[in-house]
Amino acid sequence: FIMKTNYLLPTSFKKIGWIMIVISLIYYVMYMTFDWATIYFKMPSIFNDGNFFTMVKTEIYSTFLPIVALSGFLFIAFSKERDEDEYIGKIRERSFVFAALFSSLLIILSTLFIFGLDYLNILIMDFFVFLFVFTVKFQIELWKFRKENKDEE
C-alpha cells in the first residue's frame, strides 16, 4: 500500500512567486546601486548580542527582502505545472537532485577554501542558491521537454 500525496501548491502560486522575485531583485539592485530605501524600524528579537527578548533596530533590506525572495523561490519551485504529469514529476525530481548536489559541492568547496564571515555568508546564501539552481534547472528541462513534444506533434 503506497499512499500518493502531492505537496505541490496550486499553479497560480508560480505567478505570485515570479512577481515576488522580480520585486526582490529590483529592490536589491536599487539598494546596492543607490543605497536606496534604507528604512529602519524596531522589531522584537528572540536573541541579539547575548540578550534574550529585546527590541532591535533593523532595516527592510536585511529583514524582509530575504523573506520575500525565499517565499518567491518556494512558490515557484513547489507550484504545480498546468500540465503536471508523471514525467514532469521526474523532471522535478532530477532537478531537485541536481540542485542538492550542486549546493552540497558549494558547501564542501566553501568549507575548504573560504573562512571567517565570508564562509558564514556562503552558508546563509546556500539555501537561496539551492532554490535558484533548482528553479533554473527545472525550467530549462521543462522547456526542452515541451519543445520536444511540440516538435513531435
Side-chain angles (χ1 to χ4, degrees):
F1 172 69
I2 297 174
M3 185 171 74
K4 282 196 161 193
T5 306
N6 191 343
Y7 296 103
L8 297 177
L9 298 167
T11 306
S12 59
F13 276 72
K14 183 173 270 194
K15 187 180 285 187
I16 296 167
W18 282 114
I19 291 168
M20 293 169 83
I21 292 298
V22 168
I23 289 170
S24 298
L25 189 60
I26 290 170
Y27 187 85
Y28 175 77
V29 168
M30 297 295 283
Y31 180 84
M32 296 308 273
T33 305
F34 305 112
D35 196 25
W36 176 74
T38 306
I39 301 168
Y40 292 94
F41 59 96
K42 286 198 171 220
M43 184 169 183
S45 170
I46 294 173
F47 186 76
N48 183 47
D49 291 332
N51 299 310
F52 289 96
F53 304 108
T54 61
M55 294 297 283
V56 295
K57 183 179 179 184
T58 187
E59 60 182 343
I60 285 180
Y61 172 75
S62 62
T63 305
F64 292 111
L65 184 65
I67 293 170
V68 172
L70 186 60
S71 298
F73 273 123
L74 287 170
F75 284 0
I76 294 166
F78 298 108
S79 293
K80 282 183 192 175
E81 292 298 314
R82 66 190 179 302
D83 55 348
E84 188 82 29
D85 63 7
E86 195 173 300
Y87 192 75
I88 290 176
K90 287 287 185 196
I91 293 172
R92 187 182 300 279
E93 180 183 324
R94 285 195 308 262
S95 299
F96 191 84
V97 169
F98 178 85
L101 292 172
F102 183 90
S103 181
S104 297
L105 182 63
L106 176 67
I107 290 174
I108 289 168
L109 292 174
S110 299
T111 301
L112 291 172
F113 301 114
I114 300 174
F115 301 95
L117 286 177
D118 291 331
Y119 176 71
L120 182 61
N121 287 333
I122 295 288
L123 291 180
I124 291 168
M125 292 302 297
D126 186 61
F127 194 64
F128 289 96
V129 169
F130 172 80
L131 289 171
F132 175 77
V133 169
F134 170 77
T135 300
V136 169
K137 176 76 171 160
F138 180 64
Q139 294 301 319
I140 289 171
E141 294 301 318
L142 195 59
W143 176 78
K144 286 180 186 175
F145 169 68
R146 287 181 175 152
K147 186 174 186 256
E148 287 173 10
N149 281 351
K150 189 178 183 183
D151 290 344
E152 289 175 8
E153 291 175 3

